[in-house]
Amino acid sequence: TIQLCDDSSAKEPPAVHLGVTSSVYHELYSALVPLYATEGLSWAGVDLDNGKVVSMSICCDYASHLDLDPKVMKILSSSPAAPHWGICLHVYDDFEKIYQPKLGEFFSFFIAGSDQSMLREGLVWKSLNHALTHARSRGYNKCVGDASGSISKGIALKTGWKVLNCCRYRDFVWDGRKPFESMTLDHPEVCVVLNEDLGAIIPEAKKHAQAYTKWQAKL
């Protein structure tokens, strides 16, 4: 699961622009994924034929990680991928000011993705639907996440999420410079997406999920 997180992040345009590989992300996810897993809101999709993890949704209660673990902060500040994580954290500033999230209020997607060899198997949709359904059963009715590319933003909009605010990559300032100023993208910004009625968007997520019988969710 951690390796899939590493690989998914390394393929995102900011990572490609910065020239960082999956190994750079491994230290962060090795620290974060076990922390989030203790909340019982994260899922991995396993291929029943070979036991391989083919999709994942690493999720948490947003308010439970407003103050990041010191170990995680140290990793973030010293990593070559720091600007990538920095813009994703920065874009939540307005969300936190407006909503002042409390424990038990906002279900949050930290990272979701699927094995590159199975992109057309509907795994992202199935994983999304599974995670949202489980969150609803745990009492959550609101969810928040960030869309850093055209695919994630498209999925959010198709299932009824709204865009709260965005930050253009080329305008983002990190440590006195603009690390993404020369980056060219079809999707030039990272956005916070929000939904305040999980019950309404779950049927839409389910509708888009393609049949893949060899997929099984593991908490």
Side-chain angles (χ1 to χ4, degrees), residues 24-189:
V24 172
Y25 292 90
H26 190 72
E27 187 180 11
L28 175 72
Y29 290 129
S30 294
L32 276 178
V33 171
L35 285 177
Y36 290 167
T38 61
E39 296 185 33
L41 294 170
S42 298
W43 294 88
V46 179
D47 189 318
L48 295 180
D49 280 351
N50 54 32
K52 180 182 178 181
V53 175
V54 293
S55 69
M56 50 76 191
S57 293
I58 307 303
C59 311
C60 64
D61 184 306
Y62 187 91
S64 68
H65 296 283
L66 285 173
D67 296 317
L68 289 177
D69 183 276
K71 178 183 176 182
V72 173
M73 286 302 298
K74 184 177 179 179
I75 296 171
L76 282 172
S77 62
S78 61
S79 170
H84 185 185
W85 294 319
I87 191 171
C88 291
L89 292 173
H90 168 73
V91 79
Y92 281 100
D93 288 348
D94 285 347
F95 164 72
E96 292 182 8
K97 291 175 184 176
I98 295 169
Y99 288 90
Q100 299 181 4
K102 299 176 178 61
L103 284 173
E105 186 177 14
F106 279 94
F107 172 73
S108 174
F109 280 93
F110 175 60
I111 183 173
S114 65
D115 189 287
Q116 292 293 303
S117 66
M118 296 183 169
L119 289 180
R120 298 189 181 278
E121 298 287 356
L123 295 181
V124 171
W125 284 112
K126 292 179 76 68
S127 187
L128 173 67
N129 177 61
H130 199 87
L132 292 175
T133 301
H134 179 65
R136 190 78 176 92
S137 73
R138 290 277 299 271
Y140 291 92
N141 197 44
K142 301 176 183 180
C143 50
V144 65
D146 57 84
S148 57
S150 56
I151 294 176
S152 55
K153 188 175 181 181
I155 288 173
L157 294 178
K158 280 182 180 179
T159 48
W161 301 52
K162 69 178 182 180
V163 175
L164 181 64
N165 64 289
C166 301
C167 177
R168 295 179 67 83
Y169 284 108
R170 69 182 186 187
D171 296 332
F172 176 63
V173 177
W174 178 264
D175 197 23
R177 60 189 179 89
K178 295 182 177 181
F180 305 117
E181 190 172 20
S182 61
M183 186 169 69
T184 57
L185 284 173
D186 293 332
H187 182 77
E189 58 194 7

